[in-house]
Amino acid sequence: MNPVVTRFAPSPTGYLHIGGARTALFNWLFARHHGGKFLLRIEDTDRKRYSPEAVEAIYGGLKWLGLDWDEEPVSQFAGRARHQEVAENLLASGGAYRCYCSPEELTEMRERAREAGSARLYDGRWRDRDPVDAPAGVDPVIRLKAPQTGETVIEDAIQGTVRVGNDQLDDMILVRADGTPTYMLAVVVDDHDMAISHVIRGDDHLTNAFRQAQIYGALSWELPVFAHMPLLHGSDGKKLSKRHGALGVETYRDDGFLSDAMNNYLLRLGWSHGSDEIISRDEAIEWFDLDAVGRGAAQFDMDKLTSLNGHYIRHAGDAELLELVRPILEKLLGHGIEIDALARLKSGLSGLKERAKNINELSENALFYVHKRPLPVDDKARKLLDEQGRRMVDIARDELAGISNWSHDELENSIRDAAAARDENLGKLAQPLRAALTGSNVSPGIFEVMEILGREETLGRLEDAVSTP
RNA sequence: GUCCCCAUCGUCUAGUGGCCUAGGACAUCGGCCUCUCACGCCGAAAACGGGGGUUCGACUCCCCCUGGGGAUACCA
């Protein structure tokens, strides 16, 4: 068996969208699993749609996902001389021919074929015609002299045996009238030259595989293993594409998703390993193979991604989270974070991360740890700090001021005792305290918050609350 | 139109002829925990599209229908 070499071949027309990311992930995983190579090829043959920014965006997306590629990315456009050379060889060997049809003739043929219910859109009229008949002043295209009988069969690693009658396929164009290679030719030549062993790509290429197989045949080249993975669908059940709801991966990054969560989610869309749901990168590499890829299209489900993201946030290290949260907080604050505030933030993260679905939410919830006094107080918290609430805060403040050992348990004992002494529920005291200390009615455990805030800051915030009516 | 592919809870899926009274996860709905919110835990509801075969026995194999998707360019 040939060494495993896979490739991801996006066209640089924009960001790396979610479907492309999944294709890239599967290729990467397959290569890593087999100790092979994962190559990148930019399909930039169409110069009208090419943009260097798009190429950078694709690199950026892959890097964010942690899908590192081997060797320098290949530019398909740069290989056009080689594509032409192959076409010339095919011409010389009789595997291809020049066709002088005008666009009008072609549309007419197409219409007629449709009416007749035929799949062959081109009737092969120049296939055996003598080139001396060529009309003057017409630049010909080069077409493949495809087999007209028999069938083309693909042994697809995911879809199984897929076959089509050769009478369904017409002589495709290899080189355009302007001398540039078409996609069909370019992919085949590039995949061959790059020694790609496994072509893993979206289902939408399945019918292209037939045509490509014919080109391989004409060239007497060995066929790679094809593996056509099912497409990603939107919630309407239609193919997800850039113009149909597929967002770039960086959008998810900006929305606070962790790359590990994204990878895990994408992996489980169309691939499974028993009933495992949480799958680490290492496990994915160890377990991934094509035989466990499903054959039906999968719908993108934001809820499940979000749930996975929550899991990965809860299990992320505080240092990693701090890196992610800090710039967001500084933006929210409009200034840098001072050293003591940073220390509070760092200690607060473990309690905060239990409660966040994404990094943006985590940041917002962390804001009270780093905000300077006086704290902004939201409406619900304001309600808790009514006259009665402020009285509770006042009681708590007196109680807390007498504490010698500022620790979670001490704090809790003291407040619980104070509540019990007044025959009140803990919540009666805790909620106004929460409002005063965090400016919100929702936060991590209130004794944890007080411990992290420290004596001075805690007492200060309580003072602020009682003194501002 | 033609060709190709697909088909298990709402969604992602397990299941490769008897282990299925169809399992898990997300979402949903109850409950527990509890200083709020989460987390966590317990529980409920929820699926093999239809019809024919094959077989002692089909979610599993075959055929048809239906439904869905994809491809039908001198785009990639």
Side-chain angles (χ1 to χ4, degrees):
Chain A
M1 187 158 158
N2 295 326
V4 168
V5 183
T6 65
R7 48 60 160 193
F8 176 56
S11 42
T13 53
Y15 46 74
L16 174 66
H17 70 84
I18 208 78
R22 189 178 66 131
T23 306
L25 174 65
F26 281 34
N27 273 283
W28 182 86
L29 246 20
F30 186 75
R32 294 293 172 257
H33 173 81
H34 289 283
K37 285 182 182 171
F38 171 63
L39 270 29
L40 222 52
R41 181 173 71 230
I42 305 297
E43 310 226 313
D44 50 0
T45 328
D46 186 355
R47 302 315 279 177
K48 289 186 287 287
R49 292 201 289 166
Y50 170 81
S51 101
E53 294 76 31
V55 177
E56 284 309 314
I58 289 165
Y59 292 165
L62 291 173
K63 282 180 191 159
W64 179 62
L65 289 169
L67 306 181
D68 54 325
W69 55 94
D70 302 301
E71 303 179 7
E72 275 302 295
V74 170
S75 155
Q76 187 159 67
F77 179 67
R80 59 198 183 283
R82 157 102 258 242
H83 304 144
Q84 282 157 358
E85 174 197 326
V86 171
E88 290 297 331
N89 291 160
L90 227 33
L91 220 39
S93 68
Y97 60 94
R98 292 187 216 274
C99 165
Y100 295 85
C101 283
S102 67
E104 296 73 40
E105 272 181 284
L106 257 18
T107 34
E108 191 203 323
M109 265 184 254
R110 195 161 16 241
E111 277 165 20
R112 218 170 328 126
R114 291 244 164 152
E115 264 171 49
S118 161
R120 297 179 74 104
L121 271 17
Y122 172 71
D123 65 8
R125 65 180 57 173
W126 284 91
R127 187 176 165 104
D128 298 306
R129 197 152 159 195
D130 195 321
V132 296
D133 294 342
V138 174
D139 291 326
V141 300
I142 298 177
R143 284 184 185 271
L144 180 76
K145 198 177 243 179
Q148 293 179 310
T149 56
E151 56 180 11
T152 297
V153 181
I154 305 278
E155 294 299 336
D156 193 280
I158 292 171
Q159 306 291 345
T161 306
V162 183
R163 54 181 74 224
V164 69
N166 286 335
D167 56 350
Q168 298 298 326
L169 270 21
D170 59 10
D171 291 346
M172 79 197 95
I173 293 175
L174 265 19
V175 178
R176 300 186 188 98
D178 66 1
T180 58
T182 60
Y183 164 75
M184 289 294 173
L185 207 221
V187 210
V188 170
V189 173
D190 290 345
D191 284 340
H192 170 265
D193 288 0
M194 291 164 77
I196 302 302
S197 64
H198 296 256
V199 172
I200 304 169
R201 67 216 321 185
D203 226 350
D204 49 344
H205 284 282
L206 188 54
T207 45
N208 287 336
F210 293 130
R211 319 195 79 110
Q212 286 158 207
Q214 292 188 330
I215 300 179
Y216 278 97
L219 258 10
S220 304
W221 286 347
E222 192 189 341
L223 225 51
V225 174
F226 288 109
H228 289 94
M229 45 193 279
L231 261 19
L232 233 44
H233 284 178
S235 39
D236 62 349
K238 295 268 198 300
K239 170 184 174 181
L240 212 52
S241 65
K242 276 174 205 167
R243 46 159 313 145
H244 192 83
L247 302 175
V249 288
E250 74 279 4
T251 310
Y252 293 92
R253 193 230 303 132
D254 296 344
D255 284 349
F257 288 94
L258 255 27
S259 123
D260 282 347
M262 197 74 221
N263 275 309
N264 195 151
Y265 178 67
L266 255 19
L267 174 64
R268 284 286 291 103
L269 232 39
W271 180 85
S272 60
H273 183 266
S275 54
D276 291 310
E277 297 288 346
I278 306 293
I279 301 166
S280 72
R281 175 162 296 237
D282 287 344
E283 286 168 332
I285 292 173
E286 186 186 332
W287 295 337
F288 188 82
D289 218 336
L290 262 16
D291 53 12
V293 177
R295 296 195 289 177
Q299 278 186 32
F300 188 85
D301 179 16
M302 197 56 142
D303 283 341
K304 190 143 183 182
L305 207 212
T306 302
S307 144
L308 234 23
N309 202 45
H311 175 272
Y312 276 94
I313 288 179
R314 289 194 292 279
H315 289 79
D318 293 346
E320 179 195 346
L321 257 17
L322 187 65
E323 290 291 301
L324 261 17
V325 159
R326 190 175 179 172
I328 300 173
L329 282 174
E330 291 183 333
K331 200 170 167 190
L332 251 29
L333 248 23
H335 59 76
I337 299 173
E338 282 160 22
I339 194 146
D340 53 338
L342 191 64
R344 291 201 294 263
L345 173 60
K346 211 168 165 181
S347 320
L349 243 20
S350 68
L352 251 14
K353 68 187 178 189
E354 295 294 321
R355 301 168 160 76
K357 297 270 182 234
N358 64 62
I359 297 298
N360 295 335
E361 193 182 300
L362 178 62
S363 305
E364 281 161 28
N365 294 344
L367 194 55
F368 78 89
Y369 273 129
V370 296
H371 207 289
K372 284 180 188 157
R373 288 175 51 201
L375 219 51
V377 177
D378 70 24
D379 289 346
K380 285 179 179 162
R382 170 89 35 214
K383 262 191 160 158
L384 287 167
L385 291 171
D386 56 9
E387 199 183 330
Q388 147 107 337
R390 287 204 301 279
R391 203 161 57 234
M392 290 298 152
V393 172
D394 202 31
I395 290 167
R397 192 181 48 146
D398 286 346
E399 205 66 38
L400 294 168
I403 284 188
S404 51
N405 178 19
W406 196 266
S407 72
H408 181 285
D409 292 354
E410 270 310 295
L411 294 163
E412 175 160 5
N413 289 337
S414 137
I415 296 295
R416 274 192 192 279
D417 290 348
R422 283 161 187 79
D423 210 21
E424 293 281 16
N425 292 326
L426 179 55
K428 253 313 198 262
L429 268 171
Q431 277 305 82
L433 271 176
R434 185 183 320 281
L437 294 174
T438 71
S440 161
N441 63 327
V442 175
S443 83
I446 200 62
F447 305 114
E448 173 185 333
V449 168
M450 290 193 287
E451 183 182 37
I452 291 170
L453 246 22
R455 181 192 184 95
E456 189 188 343
E457 183 71 19
T458 300
L459 264 18
R461 290 187 184 193
L462 296 184
E463 173 63 40
D464 291 345
V466 267
S467 59
T468 36

